[in-house]
Amino acid sequence: MMSGQHGKEEEGKTTQSNPNALKPWHQMVASGSGALITAITMTPLDVVKIRLQAQAKPMQSGQCFFYCNGLMDHVCRCLNGSQPGTAAPWYKAPSKFNGTLDAFVKIARNEGVFKLWSGLSPTLVMAVPATILYYTSYDQLKYHLDYKQGVKGELWKPMVAGGGARLFACTVIAPLELIRTKMQSRPLTYAEMVGCVRTAVTEEGIMSLWRGWSPMVWRDVPFSVILWLNYEPLKGRICKEYGLTTPTFPIAFFSGAFAGTIAGVLTQPFDVLKTHRQIEMGDIGDMRRSKQVSSHTLAIMKKLYAEKGLNGLYAGTLPRLFKITPACAIMIGSYELGKSIFVKDVK
């Protein structure tokens, strides 16, 4: 009897000390909930930011632009007086905004509250599954690498797990990202989109569906490596200070914000490169011609550095951090909170 009780205690101790031993569906539910919370909370902030930027330089009808709501990039079209039925419209005839709070109030009052969540639909369709895939893969890889929190010489494990999980997620999602971007960058019916994909595959092979994969990997894989390299030790140090085996939401929130900020600063040049490639793609308008003007990632980096120096490679750092820092904090905090609930249930 004592032996059975001791075994149960050991089982509970193991589960508590290693929450990564949770089943994959536990991690999928936790990451999906975190992605949903992040998308809902971050989208209005970026919509307001873009609207404030747009009034400084009004966009022409039908012009495409990119914005990110914390989980993924979006391509949207400016309506501004174009005829109803324009594909993927974003807004028209904006009011004059006198600041962030004023923009929130006027958009909600003049256009409806739900306009603050423009771009949420494609996030829920694609970014949430991608986030689930990424976070679940990360935790599973970390678990199978037998990562021990607080032990010296273990930091390479979250780095490998983070980089591997992001590489896997980027590779799986890349064709869907390409299709989504093309459909939002110019008017295309689903039949036309299928024809466009078929033509690209016929003329350039199946690998044409992964165009844009390289700059996405250049940005996202290093970001993931740096994020978890900073997050795991900081989380472990704070948990140890308070005698905890699993992080609370405030601990995960703070650690995620700090790690996300560091990763955002160090990978900013790759984000600039990805933006250049995306804009290039949106301007071309045809998958077959894009290959003729596209440059390799390193070639674009050398060109930017030669023309504008480090300032060119770090353009837009502050606005990006305004998105990345709270997005990482909310996503990781919500994810850890969800996992802690399942850990308690397992015990």
Side-chain angles (χ1 to χ4, degrees):
M1 182 174 178
M2 290 294 293
S3 175
Q5 184 178 359
H6 179 71
K8 290 181 180 180
E9 290 177 355
E10 286 298 318
E11 184 180 354
K13 183 178 179 181
T14 301
T15 304
Q16 183 181 28
S17 61
N18 192 353
N20 294 317
L22 290 171
K23 295 180 180 179
W25 76 266
H26 291 149
Q27 295 157 343
M28 292 171 69
V29 172
S31 58
S33 301
L36 183 62
I37 294 171
T38 303
I40 291 173
T41 55
M42 292 301 300
T43 297
L45 296 175
D46 211 69
V47 167
V48 167
K49 180 183 73 70
I50 290 294
R51 297 288 283 269
L52 289 170
Q53 291 176 338
Q55 74 177 9
K57 184 181 178 182
M59 290 176 287
Q60 300 297 320
S61 175
Q63 184 177 355
C64 300
F65 62 95
F66 290 84
Y67 80 94
C68 174
N69 64 355
L71 286 178
M72 67 182 292
D73 300 328
H74 296 276
V75 184
C76 290
R77 298 176 65 84
C78 173
L79 190 58
N80 270 0
S82 61
Q83 296 299 317
T86 301
W90 189 54
Y91 77 98
K92 69 175 182 177
S95 304
K96 175 67 177 179
F97 304 128
N98 298 315
T100 301
L101 182 60
D102 185 56
F104 270 108
V105 173
K106 287 183 177 178
I107 292 173
R109 184 178 61 201
N110 299 334
E111 305 175 37
V113 174
F114 292 107
K115 207 66 175 180
L116 290 168
W117 279 269
S118 299
L120 183 59
S121 296
T123 298
L124 299 180
V125 170
M126 197 182 82
V128 172
T131 303
I132 292 173
L133 182 67
Y134 169 52
Y135 276 82
T136 303
S137 300
Y138 168 72
D139 261 350
Q140 286 297 309
L141 283 171
K142 190 175 66 170
Y143 171 63
H144 287 292
L145 288 172
D146 193 27
Y147 171 68
K148 296 179 178 63
Q149 187 174 283
V151 178
K152 290 184 177 180
E154 293 281 303
L155 287 181
W156 67 271
K157 293 180 180 179
M159 292 173 63
V160 171
R166 179 57 75 183
L167 181 63
F168 176 59
C170 285
T171 302
V172 172
I173 295 299
L176 298 178
E177 169 73 9
L178 178 67
I179 292 172
R180 180 192 62 82
T181 301
K182 294 300 293 185
M183 291 194 72
Q184 290 187 320
S185 63
R186 65 189 176 100
L188 282 175
T189 65
Y190 284 99
E192 290 172 333
M193 188 68 244
V194 171
C196 188
V197 171
R198 185 183 295 114
T199 300
V201 172
T202 300
E203 296 189 1
E204 302 179 35
I206 190 68
M207 295 308 296
S208 63
L209 296 180
W210 275 265
R211 178 171 292 125
W213 175 86
S214 177
M216 183 164 57
V217 167
W218 271 94
R219 182 193 68 173
D220 291 352
V221 171
F223 180 91
S224 184
V225 170
I226 298 169
L227 174 72
W228 298 112
L229 173 63
N230 286 278
Y231 172 76
E232 294 290 354
L234 180 59
K235 177 190 72 174
R237 195 174 302 119
I238 299 176
C239 286
K240 184 178 180 181
E241 184 72 21
Y242 288 94
L244 301 172
T245 54
T246 56
T248 62
F249 177 80
I251 291 175
F253 186 92
F254 170 77
S255 302
F258 176 81
T261 301
I262 299 299
V265 171
L266 294 180
T267 60
Q268 178 61 22
F270 300 116
D271 185 66
V272 172
L273 295 177
K274 183 175 183 288
T275 300
H276 275 261
R277 293 295 293 269
Q278 285 178 319
I279 293 173
E280 173 189 272
M281 177 183 173
D283 287 343
I284 292 167
D286 188 272
M287 295 173 72
R288 287 171 295 178
R289 284 185 291 149
S290 64
K291 189 175 182 180
Q292 300 174 9
V293 298
S294 295
S295 301
H296 293 294
T297 301
L298 288 178
I300 298 175
M301 178 181 285
K302 291 178 181 178
K303 181 180 179 181
L304 279 173
Y305 182 77
E307 292 178 353
K308 300 181 180 180
L310 288 177
N311 289 335
L313 294 176
Y314 279 90
T317 299
L318 197 58
R320 183 172 178 238
L321 292 182
F322 282 152
K323 293 181 293 187
I324 285 178
T325 299
C328 287
I330 295 170
M331 180 62 222
I332 294 178
S334 301
Y335 181 55
E336 294 284 13
L337 177 63
K339 288 198 300 181
S340 67
I341 294 173
F342 285 117
V343 167
K344 291 177 183 178
D345 290 341
V346 170
K347 289 171 15 181

